[in-house]
Amino acid sequence: MNRAIAVAVSGGVDSLVAAHLLKRTSPPVVAVHFRTGFETEPADRTRTRLQSIGDQLDLPVHVLDLSTEFRRAVVDYFTATYLAGQTPNPCVVCNPLIKFGELLRRAAGIGAARLATGHYADVRRDAFGRYRLFKGIDARKDQSYFLARLTQDQLARAIFPLAALTKTAVRAIAGRAGLIPLNADESQDVCFIKAGAYPQFIAELTGRPAEPGLIETTAGEVVGRHPGLHAFTVGQRRGLNCPAAEPYYVVRLDIERNRLVVGRRQDVLTAQCRVERINWIAPPPAAALRVAARVRYRTPEAPATVVPIDADSAWLHFDAPQPAVAPGQAAVFYDGSEVLGGGFIAQQKDA
């Protein structure tokens, strides 16, 4: 079996330091960068810029075109989910299908058997040979949520050199080693869309322009108009433009009537939700299981109970009703620092 390791480099400080650390401890190493087809610069320009990364690391950087696969697996999923009135999570989809899927397969063609990334997370093999996923040590940067759908085979081939480092430590390492990232800014949540441009992106890509409609309360009172449902997600407060004594929040997207249903904060509290297409990293539970559940990357974990329905779906019962539990988002289950698994929210029930 080939022992080379590929390191995915984006141009940011995290992947740059991950490659630097790995090169010092685990040769041979090759660097790979994939194009999504949604970049704003030509491929030749990308290769030229990445050459500076290769020069700093003394590694060749292989630029791989994954535009067809990325469009089909991530972008089409993203637009279809929004148009269905749900909230997609492209990073959760991209990691198993693109980075640790197609990119890893392509890396094998240049002699690499494993893939390292700059994620703040950790993977360990237990005494029984099972691979387990854990949070990175930096609680503010932990990205294990986005990796919850990796399979055992993918975890076996994954390496996370930043697992035991904080962001501050990573920047310090880069400074001492004279490493200069190409991208000074933090990576954005949706890498293929400029911030705030979702409606325009979806309209241009699908040929379906946003359709304005009415905003109504849970009681059926019309309180305004919206520019298009795919500009909103459950729990959203900003951008509604409905002046009132108390702020309104998005409760539901009514696709059939093209209406945005809003209510008060208590109206977006959810006591339980159904989670489907669960990928269990730990052995699937045979009975109710206590977990800490995260239903969005930037929200705190909440104490909850997972009640299995079948092998890959379950009801998630929160100890206390949670706000902004949006269909389409990923629900990830934790036991302390360990990721037990995760799936997609399909249905929620109000408090």
Side-chain angles (χ1 to χ4, degrees), residues 102-314:
E102 187 60 30
L103 181 61
L104 184 53
R105 284 190 287 273
R106 295 281 193 94
I110 55 175
R114 303 177 71 187
L115 179 70
T117 69
H119 284 102
Y120 289 83
D122 195 11
V123 61
R124 307 170 198 164
R125 188 181 185 186
D126 66 20
F128 303 98
R130 191 176 190 90
Y131 289 88
R132 299 164 65 181
L133 179 65
F134 294 85
K135 297 176 182 178
I137 197 171
D138 189 334
R140 294 177 300 173
K141 294 299 297 180
D142 167 53
Q143 295 168 308
S144 59
Y145 173 89
F146 295 121
L147 301 166
R149 295 189 60 76
L150 295 189
T151 66
Q152 282 291 304
D153 182 62
Q154 290 171 327
L155 289 170
R157 297 169 183 269
I159 301 174
F160 303 122
L162 308 187
L165 297 174
T166 64
K167 185 75 175 191
T168 300
V170 166
R171 290 195 178 107
I173 291 170
R176 289 195 300 270
L179 302 175
I180 303 173
L182 300 181
N183 307 324
D185 298 333
E186 293 286 319
S187 60
Q188 58 193 63
D189 291 341
V190 182
C191 65
F192 51 92
I193 305 178
K194 293 180 180 178
Y198 293 8
Q200 180 182 353
F201 176 85
I202 293 171
E204 292 176 353
L205 195 68
T206 64
R208 295 174 58 177
E211 182 181 351
L214 298 177
I215 301 176
E216 67 178 22
T217 68
T218 53
E221 177 188 0
V222 175
V223 292
R225 292 185 61 82
H226 66 78
L229 290 180
H230 49 272
F232 299 92
T233 182
V234 171
Q236 182 173 331
R237 181 169 66 91
R238 296 178 181 272
L240 292 176
N241 296 320
C242 297
E246 296 180 54
Y248 284 115
Y249 295 80
V250 175
V251 175
R252 187 173 67 256
L253 280 65
D254 188 335
I255 295 295
E256 291 185 2
R257 298 190 304 142
N258 191 33
R259 294 202 174 189
L260 188 67
V261 181
V262 299
R264 304 307 182 187
R265 181 170 174 78
Q266 64 268 21
D267 295 321
V268 296
L269 294 177
T270 297
Q272 59 183 309
C273 63
R274 183 182 173 111
V275 183
E276 297 182 345
R277 291 179 287 159
I278 299 173
N279 172 66
W280 287 106
I281 297 175
L289 176 68
R290 292 291 295 167
V291 300
R294 179 172 290 173
V295 294
R296 285 180 187 259
Y297 173 57
R298 300 190 186 280
T299 60
E301 296 161 22
T305 301
V306 173
V307 180
I309 299 171
D310 52 38
D312 62 358
S313 62

